[in-house]
Amino acid sequence: MSEGKVALITGVTGQDGSYLSELLLSKGYAVYGLVRRTSQPTLGRSLINHLSENPNFHLINGDMTDQASLDNAVKEVMPDEFYNLAAQSFVPESWRSPLMTADVTGMGALRCLEAIKRNKPECRYYQAGSSEQFGEVKEIPQTEETPFHPRSPYGCAKVFAFEITRNYRESYDLFACTGILFNHESPRRGLEFVTRKITMMAARISAGFDETMSIGNVDAKRDWGYAADFVEMQWRMLQQEKPDDFVVATGETHSVKEFIDLAFSHVGMILSWHGEGVDRIAKDQNGITRVVTNPRFFRPAEVELLIGKYDKAEAALGWKPGTTFTGLVKMMVDSDVALVSEAKERGYAPPKPPE
Ligand code: NAP
Ligand code: G4F
């Protein structure tokens, strides 16, 4: 059914881009990934290194901030489907670099839509929306009908991208959809995000590379799913008869503290928590402090609670999440334990989350 289709993916070097490329290649697509030029070869490309020998996988140069490069990419590739996954996607960075975030994450979506409108209007477009659009949530759980109240420049940029995608659908009859995706994680998640930071630090601490982990707000709650499950829904959204927007979530919420407890217990450390606020710490069963709170990781405005309802996705597209919270945490810890032990055996330093 998908045989012979051509897909263009922005953000191909990221977590979702790598899983989506694998999925589309397995369905017989020719996949073109947009990459930005860097002065040095970057390790960031490593998530797609394993695809480089696949004759159906190609890279094309371009940048989300440059309309001409997106126009050229569409003209050259003439895609049947365009997945816009590129973004400045780290929420704290969006307060440090709000204009760049608005440009890449918000205006970038508009540039993609313009490139399609001008060069291949029948191309189907997927926009990577975010549960950060809900921010200070107006109802629990959040659905496609829940009003937005973003809490960061990143969230604001994603709201703009969502609205302009809907507007281009309504104005120009483009087949353009947004998936409002809740947090999704994997062993390929960037080390700066809290889940991967926790799993890598649990692995490093258990192997003796570090003694403690510094953390921010452990009371924040997220609806965490598995990235490989979620990219399946990105593809399904472009296979439906009419374009529409969907929440993609697991329907469960867990705190950062729960994630830490589970990850550390998986490497044999049973934590007990002491103190409040910035004095909060966690000790292991031997009385050694393993987690300390660092105000540096608190945000100017927090999203305290996210939990999504994926009923529409299940009813219309038959999608539901396949991986449990516990399964996800253990998968990520096991992967980082393997990475750390390989580094130890071969005598090099394992990767460390940014401080
Ligand atoms: P990610 O790992 O941070 O990947 C972001 C991608 O965007 C990278 O490939 C990056 O390329 C690319 N990019 C950044 N700036 C660019 C620019 N100026 N021009 C071209 N490419 C640029 O993100 P992810 O977790 O895979 O998420 C994919 C998308 O879903 C993002 O839009 C994110 O905001 C959204 N989202 C993610 C989640 C989640 O929980 N993961 C939830 C909701 C929505 P480089 O390698 O060159 O940096
Ligand atoms: O892992 P996070 O940085 O992800 P966040 O902010 O929820 O954003 C991710 O999910 C969004 C979907 O809702 C995406 F759109 C976005 O691109 C990104 O993928 O933080 C999760 C929570 C926050 O409440 C944060 O305050 O963890 C809390 N946290 C506590 N300590 C920490 C830390 N976050 C990070 N990154 N580092 C900490 O030390």
Side-chain angles (χ1 to χ4, degrees), residues 74-140:
V74 172
K75 267 191 234 166
E76 192 175 325
V77 173
M78 293 303 270
D80 300 297
E81 295 172 11
F82 186 125
Y83 296 86
N84 178 30
L85 308 184
Q88 188 304 96
S89 74
F90 189 45
V91 172
E93 183 61 27
S94 78
W95 280 285
R96 291 187 284 266
S97 307
L99 300 176
M100 181 271 277
T101 301
D103 198 11
V104 174
T105 307
M107 288 293 287
L110 174 53
R111 294 188 187 103
C112 294
L113 289 159
E114 268 298 310
I116 290 171
K117 175 168 82 69
R118 294 173 191 182
N119 302 298
K120 187 150 190 236
E122 62 280 19
C123 172
R124 296 183 170 204
Y125 176 76
Y126 172 81
Q127 169 59 30
S130 167
S131 49
E132 282 288 308
Q133 293 166 213
F134 298 121
E136 191 172 278
V137 299
K138 301 296 174 217
E139 60 180 348
I140 298 170

Side-chain angles (χ1 to χ4, degrees), residues 267-282:
V267 294
M269 291 181 223
I270 309 303
L271 299 181
S272 57
W273 291 81
H274 309 268
E276 288 301 322
V278 293
D279 296 323
R280 185 129 63 154
I281 61 165

Side-chain angles (χ1 to χ4, degrees), residues 216-219 257 273-282 292-295 298:
N217 175 15
V218 296
D219 295 321
K257 182 172 168 295
W273 291 81
H274 309 268
E276 288 301 322
V278 293
D279 296 323
R280 185 129 63 154
I281 61 165
V292 295
T293 304
N294 185 338
F298 285 78

Side-chain angles (χ1 to χ4, degrees), residues 207-232:
F209 282 100
D210 300 288
E211 189 168 296
T212 57
M213 170 178 75
S214 298
I215 201 83
N217 175 15
V218 296
D219 295 321
K221 290 181 149 188
R222 290 290 183 276
D223 178 332
W224 278 297
Y226 176 39
D229 292 344
F230 280 35
V231 299
E232 165 76 26

Side-chain angles (χ1 to χ4, degrees), residues 88-92 129-132 154 158 181-185 189 192-195 197 214-218 220-222 224 256 297-299 302-304 306:
Q88 188 304 96
S89 74
F90 189 45
V91 172
S130 167
S131 49
E132 282 288 308
Y154 169 82
K158 284 290 185 187
L181 270 60
F182 284 62
N183 299 52
H184 46 281
E185 319 293 316
R189 187 61 142 149
E192 66 275 35
F193 298 96
V194 78
T195 54
K197 172 176 174 173
S214 298
I215 201 83
N217 175 15
V218 296
K221 290 181 149 188
R222 290 290 183 276
W224 278 297
V256 172
F297 296 111
F298 285 78
R299 298 176 179 188
E302 178 62 285
V303 173
E304 294 290 350
L306 290 173

Side-chain angles (χ1 to χ4, degrees), residues 7-50:
L8 177 58
I9 304 177
T10 71
V12 73
T13 54
Q15 172 188 256
D16 289 13
S18 68
Y19 285 113
L20 182 65
S21 295
E22 287 170 6
L23 178 76
L24 297 182
L25 289 168
S26 77
K27 291 181 183 295
Y29 281 66
V31 174
Y32 290 79
L34 188 92
V35 288
R36 38 183 179 162
R37 195 254 166 192
T38 49
S39 54
Q40 300 287 326
T42 64
L43 284 175
R45 302 268 160 90
S46 63
L47 292 181
I48 51 168
N49 277 352
H50 64 295

